[in-house]
Amino acid sequence: MLHFYRVGVFVALLGLIHAQHRWFVAQKRGALKQLVSVEQVRKFFPEVVRMGDWDFGHGGQNVFDKDDNKIGHVLQTSPEADGITGFSGPSNTLLAFDKDRKIIGLAVLRSDDTREHLEVVIRDPGFLKQWHGLTKEEAVAQAEVDTVSGATLTSTAIADGIANRLGRKKRTDRFPEPIQLEEVQAVFTNATTLVPEPELAGLFRVMAATNQVVGYATRTSPHADEMIGYQGPTDVLLLLDEKMRIVGASTRSSYDNEPYVGYLEKDPYFYNTFVGFALNEIAQLDPVDAGLDGVSGATKTSITVSEAIILTAGELTRPRPKPAPQPLVRITDRDLGTGMVVIAGMLIAFTRLKGNKRLRVAFQIVLIGYLGFMNADMVSQALLVGWAQNGAAWKVAPGLVLLTAATLLAPIFSGRQVFCTHLCPYGAVQDLIARRVPWKLKLKDWLATGLNAVPTLLLLTVILVAMGHYRFSLVAIEPFDAFVPRIAGVAAITIALVGLVVSLFLPRAYCRYGCPTGAMLKFIRWNSAGDKFGRRDVVAAALLVVAVAMLILR
């Protein structure tokens, strides 16, 4: 029963973290509409006294004065327009209507877009005023909206969100400039006119003076406008011969940043990779299988452009080929390698092999080199919290999921902390350097007692950060990121180095006095000899109470 209690506390904490995160995301994304306050609408309705509940007629809130007369209503674009992303995220815009149902003002209530771009939009004196005086129907019918220079994606997304909330589903073109004859003449020198292909929207016949079709022209916009590189989508011109084979491609315009976009044009091979392929062939390409390498220095931009060309080819071919069925779980060489290490570690831990010192040392070297520095597959508090919040990444990282499963299930059902003793690269480093110096460190009882509290305090930090969504990176409380120096922070590297130095004089010093993951695994470990309800169980109950309180008081 005590073991069930401990495992139950652990599972309950995971469930609370998951529930809290779902609520947090819902609030952030606007999946749950928040009532607009009186203060938020006072600049539009100076005489406002109270806000009404949701009106199912217009889907917003009514505004009332001191005599309880309805003086207007307000709408929010969230959550209906939450799928419309600007530079880096959606925005929630407030629309205020007077009693004649005409728009008298707009304000951005919340935005997940980049702060700098949003500020440019808000500071623009004319952007939000374009809707003033319009009825809902007039706003929906508004053909063009002036975007804000320097924040085109953000302002366009806000405009699309307004139109979407009011009833218009078609989005504004991210690249409204049509294909120009001059662009086509770079390849088809005898081209005189461009004629829309009647059976295929977005495709143009390239006509010569003799009224002969010499080729075709198309572009990736609007098909791939939602494919974002570093900072935005890119519009690519595609020129095809009479047999619908690509004979030329070039960048028309892009929201992505320089110098990345420029690298594509300067690379002599990138666009030429597609030359000679028919559209239906390109539509069936897999970027990885086809070996479409990214341009050095602009990998994300170039890969996104390649995917945009493939997507556009699929949109323009009829019938569009069905994509190859995707496996339920994508297993890579890395996953296989991690899985083999996990299986080997389990075999050593649960068989007589654990007594083979040479094998153990060899396996520890594999842990450090392969699982640590090469794969960086380790079970940390940051990983566990992330998966508790969003779900385990079993489709894309099955090897890491297997490692995590072994880490959690082994102590629960067998009483052995296999991760700590046989699967942790940092623990393996500590083992290899132990007893390498003649001096030993013996801690005073009071100091050992104080250090024993460190993992518990770190677990409390994990609960607070996970439940409160505070801006604190949990990777900074453990040394595992030090195996990836290029991304490791100062805190992780410092913990790793200090832990190793102390381990020279005190075996497995970090594991004993600093590891929150180890303390967690020790708590849920099965104790066949029987155990009594003690201090750690009280502490665990206290952590659970903290999590429940944060859930209730959110």
Side-chain angles (χ1 to χ4, degrees), residues 328-332 334-335 387 392-401:
L328 183 62
V329 180
R330 186 172 183 178
I331 301 177
T332 64
R334 169 179 174 169
D335 296 311
W387 285 7
W394 58 273
K395 288 186 177 181
V396 296
L400 188 54
V401 170

Side-chain angles (χ1 to χ4, degrees), residues 125-457:
F127 177 71
L128 293 178
K129 292 182 179 180
Q130 296 178 82
W131 289 271
H132 286 195
L134 301 180
T135 64
K136 172 184 175 180
E137 294 73 22
E138 291 170 342
V140 170
Q142 193 173 19
E144 294 184 3
V145 173
D146 293 331
T147 57
V148 179
S149 177
T152 307
L153 281 177
T154 300
S155 55
T156 299
I158 291 175
D160 284 345
I162 294 171
N164 179 279
R165 179 64 181 84
L166 298 179
R168 191 179 76 205
K169 302 302 179 184
K170 183 180 178 181
R171 299 187 181 184
T172 305
D173 288 339
R174 298 301 191 254
F175 301 95
E177 184 68 25
I179 298 175
Q180 302 296 317
L181 184 62
E182 293 77 10
E183 298 177 80
V184 176
Q185 288 174 333
V187 173
F188 299 110
T189 56
N190 56 342
T192 56
T193 55
L194 297 175
V195 179
E197 177 64 46
E199 298 180 359
L200 215 52
L203 189 68
F204 293 86
R205 298 174 183 174
V206 181
M207 311 295 292
T210 58
N211 206 29
Q212 176 187 4
V213 177
V214 295
Y216 296 88
T218 189
R219 59 187 179 127
T220 56
S221 179
H223 308 294
D225 282 356
E226 300 303 318
M227 303 187 73
I228 308 299
Y230 281 102
Q231 294 189 1
T234 298
D235 187 21
V236 177
L237 175 69
L238 301 175
L239 300 177
L240 307 99
D241 63 15
E242 304 96 314
K243 295 183 179 180
M244 302 295 284
R245 295 176 302 207
I246 291 183
V247 293
S250 60
T251 304
R252 299 190 71 240
S253 182
S254 180
Y255 288 100
D256 221 331
N257 58 331
E258 292 290 353
Y260 303 135
V261 178
Y263 290 162
L264 271 59
E265 291 292 341
K266 295 177 182 178
D267 189 286
Y269 304 105
F270 177 67
Y271 281 125
N272 284 333
T273 303
F274 298 94
V275 172
F277 286 94
L279 279 183
N280 61 343
E281 295 173 332
I282 292 176
Q284 300 178 61
L285 287 178
D286 180 278
V288 177
D289 294 342
L292 297 178
D293 297 328
V295 174
S296 178
T299 304
K300 185 171 178 58
T301 299
S302 54
I303 289 177
T304 302
V305 168
S306 296
E307 292 174 344
I309 293 173
I310 293 171
L311 174 65
T312 301
E315 293 289 341
L316 293 175
T317 52
R318 294 292 184 271
R320 184 176 179 178
K322 294 182 180 180
Q326 296 296 318
L328 183 62
V329 180
R330 186 172 183 178
I331 301 177
T332 64
D333 292 341
R334 169 179 174 169
D335 296 311
L336 291 173
T338 296
M340 293 173 63
V341 171
V342 172
I343 294 172
M346 298 286 282
L347 286 174
I348 295 174
F350 288 98
T351 66
R352 294 180 180 179
L353 293 174
K354 63 177 177 290
N356 189 319
K357 185 176 180 180
R358 290 185 178 180
L359 175 62
R360 181 175 177 83
V361 171
F363 185 68
Q364 287 175 331
I365 293 173
V366 172
L367 282 179
I368 298 167
Y370 183 76
L371 207 61
F373 285 106
M374 185 174 295
N375 280 10
D377 282 344
M378 285 159 282
V379 180
S380 65
Q381 291 300 302
L383 172 74
L384 293 175
V385 168
W387 285 7
Q389 292 176 333
N390 302 295
W394 58 273
K395 288 186 177 181
V396 296
L400 188 54
V401 170
L402 178 63
L403 173 62
T404 306
T407 298
L408 298 178
L409 297 180
I412 291 176
F413 293 103
S414 73
R416 298 185 182 182
Q417 293 177 230
V418 176
F419 178 73
C420 298
T421 57
H422 291 82
L423 292 174
C424 177
Y426 190 71
V429 176
Q430 292 179 87
D431 279 345
L432 290 179
I433 67 174
R435 302 180 179 88
R436 300 297 177 183
V437 295
W439 305 282
K440 303 302 175 187
L441 181 64
K442 186 176 181 179
L443 301 179
K444 299 289 185 181
D445 291 342
W446 62 268
L447 181 58
T449 300
L451 291 176
N452 278 325
V454 171
T456 301
L457 293 175

Side-chain angles (χ1 to χ4, degrees), residues 54-120:
W54 297 108
D55 185 304
F56 291 99
H58 51 62
Q61 287 177 262
N62 293 320
V63 184
F64 296 90
D65 63 13
K66 62 182 179 60
D67 298 321
D68 214 33
N69 295 318
K70 177 183 173 182
I71 56 177
H73 71 274
V74 293
L75 302 178
Q76 299 180 57
T77 59
S78 178
E80 289 83 356
D82 283 354
I84 299 176
T85 301
F87 180 79
S88 63
S91 298
N92 183 23
T93 305
L94 177 75
L95 292 85
F97 293 79
D98 63 16
K99 59 183 178 181
D100 295 324
R101 293 182 174 268
K102 290 186 177 182
I103 298 174
I104 58 175
L106 296 91
V108 179
L109 295 180
R110 170 194 54 78
S111 181
D112 289 342
D113 220 322
T114 307
R115 181 185 306 172
E116 292 78 8
H117 291 84
L118 181 63
E119 289 177 350
V120 171

Side-chain angles (χ1 to χ4, degrees), residues 26-46:
Q27 301 306 306
K28 186 177 180 181
R29 299 297 183 188
L32 298 176
K33 287 188 177 181
Q34 296 295 309
L35 294 173
V36 178
S37 68
V38 168
E39 294 305 318
Q40 287 176 307
V41 303
R42 190 176 298 281
K43 63 180 178 180
F44 307 122
F45 305 98

